[in-house]
Amino acid sequence: MSAKATIVIIEDEPAIADNLIHVLEMDGFNVCWFATGEQGLAYIADNAVDLVVLDVGLPDVNGFELCKTIREFSDVAIIFLTARNDEIDRVVGLEIGADDYVTKPFSPREMLARIKLRIKKPTLLAATQGAVSVTELKSQSTQPSTDRLTSVNFDFCVDGKMLGLTAVEFKILDKLISHCANVLSREQLLIAADIAPSASYERNIDSHIKAIRQKLKPFALADSIQTKRGFGYFYKQSPSS
């Protein structure tokens, strides 16, 4: 039997959680539901988890703050679930490390599709490809030619140190490096990050680019990502020394 991915739902409304649990379990996922942030955080800290569906309005803690806490020790994919549809909330959620943002009411089937897009599970791939290590799986993926950046296990390493990118940030940077010196539009970067392009969402790419630049800044590589005003972004490789 192939390994099942584990989804953690942190949501205080039982009816919403039940609908989502039913769809996920029918599709073969392991699902753990917690009604409070404290319970969910304790489970995530002690167990292997593939994705977290996180409600913003929890009874004991703000979902944004809980996301920040999770990001201190884990790069697990996080999808915010909230009744608020303000653009500023979406931007804040993505800036602090979430991978997606879904507003209530929502279609459980749509959520299932979003979850499938964001899960990175080497063991699931190994189940269909034979026994393959994480390193071997990554070596089969795109290995961009860069000056100091090295792609390792769905993150990037600079001078031996991991950047700690979110899943969305990794996909964006990987796309930019793979098309080094080519200008990529916001729409192209959204597609690369497995996010359906929309006029309301395109500007959120700017927030992800800002976050990536901040993580590159300690290595004097923030300027590697250049802006082409009116067109998009491109990766500029540093001259060889």
Side-chain angles (χ1 to χ4, degrees):
M1 179 181 294
S2 61
K4 293 182 180 180
T6 297
I7 310 299
V8 167
I9 300 172
I10 306 178
E11 163 62 62
D12 64 321
E13 296 185 46
I16 292 176
D18 286 345
N19 286 336
L20 192 50
I21 290 169
H22 174 71
V23 171
L24 290 170
E25 290 184 338
M26 287 290 290
D27 211 75
F29 289 101
N30 288 321
V31 185
C32 299
W33 170 45
F34 302 97
T36 68
E38 182 179 359
Q39 293 172 330
L41 179 63
Y43 184 87
I44 294 167
D46 294 336
N47 297 273
V49 175
D50 298 283
L51 185 140
V52 178
V53 177
L54 175 58
D55 185 22
V56 173
L58 295 168
D60 61 332
V61 64
N62 180 280
F64 291 146
E65 293 303 317
L66 184 57
C67 178
K68 291 179 183 178
T69 301
I70 294 171
R71 280 287 172 258
E72 292 176 0
F73 64 88
S74 174
D75 62 354
V76 63
I78 296 175
I79 298 179
F80 273 127
L81 182 59
T82 177
R84 302 190 300 196
N85 195 30
D86 295 337
E87 181 178 3
I88 186 63
D89 285 337
R90 294 198 301 271
V91 172
V92 169
L94 294 168
E95 283 184 339
I96 63 176
D99 298 277
D100 205 349
Y101 195 103
V102 176
T103 55
K104 303 174 185 176
F106 66 95
S107 161
R109 287 291 174 185
E110 179 187 352
M111 177 66 86
L112 175 63
R114 288 174 182 265
I115 287 172
K116 286 182 174 180
L117 282 173
R118 281 153 185 81
I119 286 181
K120 288 294 184 182
K121 183 74 171 177
T123 53
L124 289 178
L125 294 175
T128 59
Q129 297 175 358
V132 183
S133 68
V134 172
T135 302
E136 289 171 330
L137 282 170
K138 189 55 198 173
S139 69
Q140 296 170 9
S141 303
T142 302
Q143 288 287 355
S145 176
T146 64
D147 42 6
R148 295 168 63 198
L149 283 166
T150 304
S151 182
V152 179
N153 296 348
F154 308 110
D155 199 350
F156 278 95
C157 176
V158 185
D159 301 338
K161 297 181 180 179
M162 304 297 286
L163 292 183
L165 300 175
T166 66
V168 169
E169 290 167 0
F170 169 79
K171 291 173 185 176
I172 291 171
L173 184 55
D174 188 54
K175 182 71 172 181
L176 287 167
I177 292 174
S178 299
H179 295 76
C180 192
N182 293 330
V183 178
L184 300 176
S185 68
R186 291 180 176 86
E187 181 179 358
Q188 288 175 306
L189 293 175
L190 281 173
I191 293 172
D194 296 324
I195 299 172
S198 67
S200 63
Y201 207 98
E202 278 193 7
R203 285 293 172 180
N204 286 331
I205 283 292
D206 300 344
S207 298
H208 290 302
I209 292 293
K210 179 180 178 181
I212 295 170
R213 283 172 170 162
Q214 282 297 114
K215 293 176 181 180
L216 289 171
K217 190 174 181 179
F219 306 97
L221 288 173
D223 291 339
S224 296
I225 300 178
Q226 298 283 310
T227 303
K228 183 71 171 179
R229 190 173 299 275
F231 293 93
Y233 298 96
F234 65 96
Y235 184 85
K236 181 180 179 181
Q237 190 167 353
S238 302
S240 299
S241 56

